[in-house]
Amino acid sequence: MKTPPLNAVKAFEAVSRHLSVTKAAVELCVTQGAASQQIKNLENYVNCPLFIRDAKGLTLTDAGQRLAGVAQKALGELAAVAEEIIGTQRTTLSISAPPSFAVKWLIPNLNKFYEQHVDLNVVIDASCEVRSFRSDGIDASIRFGKGENLPPNSTVLGCSDIIIVGSPAYINKSPAINHHADLYEHKLISYESKTEDHRKLHKSWRGVFSELGLSLDLSKTALIFTEGHMALTAAIHGQGLALIESILVEHELRSGQLEKVLGTRFPGNNCYTFLKPEYSQKMQALDKFEAWLTRSLAGSLRSL
């Protein structure tokens, strides 16, 4: 038995939902004339009118209503199966990244990556530890460091400046901050990694005060956290001022959850780097992820 032309069925299904050739044509990305011609082709195929056309617009005939129900169901099932097949063919990338960067930047921005790459899926391993591509099953890593003596296939993404932030509630209820010396009157939230090597990578309040020619009274440091996103959460909840990489607070600054204090930016000497193996069966997918990562971070990180 001969089947109706698929393009004609698609055009009919769209027009039957909108009861408008113009809206259906826009949805299908075709001209109004092309959509109308497809409807005529289908009406010729079934040898009866599918729409009543009058001054009020379009109305489905009895035959049109029967056919519309079948067409909508069939095309819906076809789309569902196609989506299922696409899902089974997705390439999964396991990306290792520092916890704070993963939580505050990478995860919130992944939806933009998926919009551009429906064939890829990303699994995030949030860790500061060095991961092996082979033994740990990691496809690529984002690391924070000096950007020196890097292995092959490494790309320096850029450095993040350090800023001082606080919640509006905390700033409004606390002594005014007009000069750096005013920081003495505030609770300072510290981020100190568990290991000595990692601690050296992050600018501390002690280092900032030294750069400003001030001495630091450690009694003012009320809270100490081992991850940057924890310190950030404490600042959001009004527990003090946090010293944080600007890349980690883009959303909070835009939403008004946090405010910059004094407008001072301290250049960060360490950078984010993307590392991938010299050879991988997923190299094409890794190149796509790296290209997206580089473009997305270009406006937020400073070149080394």
Side-chain angles (χ1 to χ4, degrees):
M1 180 179 178
K2 188 177 179 181
T3 58
L6 182 58
N7 285 340
V9 174
K10 288 170 62 179
F12 167 72
E13 189 276 335
V15 175
S16 70
R17 279 188 289 107
H18 294 291
L19 290 178
S20 167
V21 175
T22 301
K23 291 181 180 179
V26 171
E27 177 183 311
L28 298 171
C29 298
V30 299
T31 65
Q32 186 174 344
S36 296
Q37 184 60 50
Q38 292 293 354
I39 298 299
K40 289 181 181 179
N41 292 343
L42 189 59
E43 288 179 327
N44 291 335
Y45 178 86
V46 298
N47 198 30
C48 69
L50 299 174
F51 295 96
I52 299 172
R53 301 165 176 84
D54 55 30
K56 295 181 180 180
L58 295 180
T59 305
L60 285 164
T61 63
D62 290 342
Q65 289 179 353
R66 291 176 58 195
L67 191 59
V70 174
Q72 290 172 8
K73 180 180 179 181
L75 291 177
E77 290 178 351
L78 182 63
V81 172
E83 184 66 27
E84 184 178 322
I85 292 173
I86 291 173
T88 60
Q89 294 178 336
R90 283 183 173 176
T91 298
T92 296
L93 296 177
S94 180
I95 306 295
S96 180
S100 294
F101 181 80
V103 170
K104 301 308 300 182
W105 191 90
L106 185 54
I107 293 174
N109 284 283
L110 269 183
N111 62 316
K112 300 174 184 176
F113 175 75
Y114 291 137
E115 288 174 0
Q116 301 173 32
H117 303 288
V118 296
D119 59 329
L120 300 180
N121 187 46
V122 177
V123 175
I124 298 175
D125 170 71
S127 173
C128 289
E129 303 302 321
V130 176
R131 296 299 199 197
S132 167
F133 295 137
R134 182 172 298 179
S135 61
D136 292 323
I138 298 299
D139 294 307
S141 296
I142 300 169
R143 283 293 166 257
F144 187 67
K146 294 291 185 183
E148 301 172 346
N149 302 318
L150 296 173
N153 272 16
S154 301
T155 301
V156 177
L157 301 169
C159 307
S160 178
D161 289 339
I162 310 300
I163 60 176
I164 303 172
V165 297
S167 71
Y170 174 83
I171 293 172
N172 291 336
K173 74 177 182 181
S174 302
I177 311 173
N178 298 313
H179 306 283
H180 291 115
D182 295 330
L183 293 172
Y184 284 125
E185 305 300 321
H186 291 266
K187 296 293 184 181
L188 305 179
I189 301 171
S190 290
Y191 161 39
E192 296 183 10
S193 181
K194 296 177 182 178
T195 65
E196 180 65 24
D197 287 343
H198 290 154
R199 278 198 293 272
K200 292 177 180 178
L201 296 177
H202 299 278
K203 192 178 289 291
S204 66
W205 279 109
R206 186 186 298 278
V208 165
F209 270 61
S210 177
E211 289 181 26
L212 296 172
L214 303 171
S215 60
L216 175 63
D217 180 0
L218 289 177
S219 66
K220 293 294 183 182
T221 305
L223 298 172
I224 299 176
F225 296 95
T226 57
E227 294 295 343
H229 63 274
M230 296 179 181
L232 186 57
T233 299
I236 290 172
H237 287 279
Q239 296 176 20
L241 301 178
L243 192 66
I244 201 80
E245 296 162 41
S246 59
I247 188 70
L248 303 182
V249 291
E250 291 181 335
H251 171 73
E252 286 76 13
L253 292 175
R254 286 196 301 266
S255 66
Q257 290 179 283
L258 292 173
E259 295 179 3
K260 284 195 292 186
V261 174
L262 293 173
T264 305
R265 301 179 75 90
F266 302 93
N269 297 323
N270 296 291
C271 297
Y272 288 97
T273 303
F274 185 73
L275 300 91
K276 62 185 179 184
E278 292 187 69
Y279 171 77
S280 169
Q281 292 181 335
K282 300 179 182 179
M283 193 59 74
Q284 186 176 7
L286 286 172
D287 288 343
K288 290 180 180 179
F289 183 81
E290 180 181 3
W292 169 80
L293 192 64
T294 302
R295 289 194 308 270
S296 300
L297 289 170
S300 301
L301 296 179
R302 173 174 45 80
S303 299
L304 181 63

